[in-house]
Amino acid sequence: MSNAPLIGFVGFGAMASRMGANLTKAGYRIAAYTPSGKGGDGSTLFLPSARALAAEADIVLVSVPDDEALAKALHGPEGVLAGIKPGCVLINTSTIAPETAEALDTEGTARGLHVIDAPVAGSTPEAEAGNLIVLAGGTADAIARVQKVFDTIGRLTIHAGPAGCGTKLKLVINGIMGSTLAVVAEGVAYGLAAGLDRSMLFDALDEVPVISPHHKRKLKAAKAGDFSPQFPARLMQKDMRLLLTSAARQTAPLPAMAAATQSLSLTRRRHPDADYSALFAVMESLVANTP
């Protein structure tokens, strides 16, 4: 469809590229800019700067690792905000600090933009299947403008509230996800240290209802020693850090999540680019007295 909206991706990594593929299949036009300067396989138009991309796009979707990368993508003479047109929708799917999301909404609204913080729940398998859950913060009007886009990349859109609320909900979800995996990994560590058969232990945990489907998937990978990065440890630890910082601002006590963050910090230090479930390998190495 030549008249379809052009969606410009700033950042086109594992998650964004899969979203882009689903949008292309649905008939949208897409283009991308990567801060690393790396292009794709030739099927996607890559532009030389975030500014150039924003000037062409009807919808700008930013998917970068953290607050610092977001600031570089948005600001400066070659940033998104230097090129984006009033009336455009700016969607930020990056997981960032809630106050950063709120500040972006304030700045974007002043420029005549429709800003949505829309991080997603799900990893690369869900992104590939178009089965993500979009956690949207912003006005109902802004979300309605891009609802068809959200319906293409995900199975459900949750309007979490005004600006920043999508980001806050994402931190709740990732905090629970990271903390519960840390508990499962500790259980595995005890079982191995106590002499349980490794295969039996992993297989047993795959059968019991107290383990979530997500963590059962991680257990199967850990049993095989496969920590291919669906959600890298460096990003999970970053999200836990954001959660604890925001919780401290709200005087919300999170002792269990704080403890889990220490284990995930160790995982990031040892295996930054592996999946965050490499925590299983860290714990197993501790009880087995191996590297």
Side-chain angles (χ1 to χ4, degrees), residues 243-265:
L243 172 62
L244 293 181
T245 299
S246 185
R249 293 178 185 274
Q250 304 298 330
T251 64
L254 307 182
M257 290 181 176
T261 301
Q262 304 309 307
S263 296
L264 290 162
S265 290

Side-chain angles (χ1 to χ4, degrees), residues 152-242:
T152 300
I153 65 173
R155 67 175 178 83
L156 175 67
T157 300
I158 297 173
H159 186 185
C165 288
T167 298
K168 293 171 185 175
L169 181 56
K170 176 64 181 290
L171 293 181
V172 170
I173 292 167
N174 279 15
I176 293 170
M177 184 167 67
S179 299
T180 50
L181 182 123
V183 170
V184 176
E186 288 183 12
V188 168
Y190 163 74
L192 295 174
L196 292 178
D197 178 78
R198 185 180 188 275
S199 291
M200 181 282 297
L201 175 59
F202 278 91
D203 290 345
L205 292 175
D206 187 48
E207 295 294 336
V208 296
V210 296
I211 309 293
S212 74
H214 173 83
H215 289 133
K216 286 184 179 183
R217 191 166 73 197
K218 300 301 183 185
L219 276 165
K220 288 180 180 178
K223 180 185 178 184
D226 178 8
F227 301 108
S228 302
Q230 295 179 348
F231 188 8
R234 57 185 169 79
L235 296 183
M236 173 56 89
Q237 188 269 354
K238 177 265 298 183
D239 291 355
M240 298 297 287
R241 172 177 57 81
L242 291 174

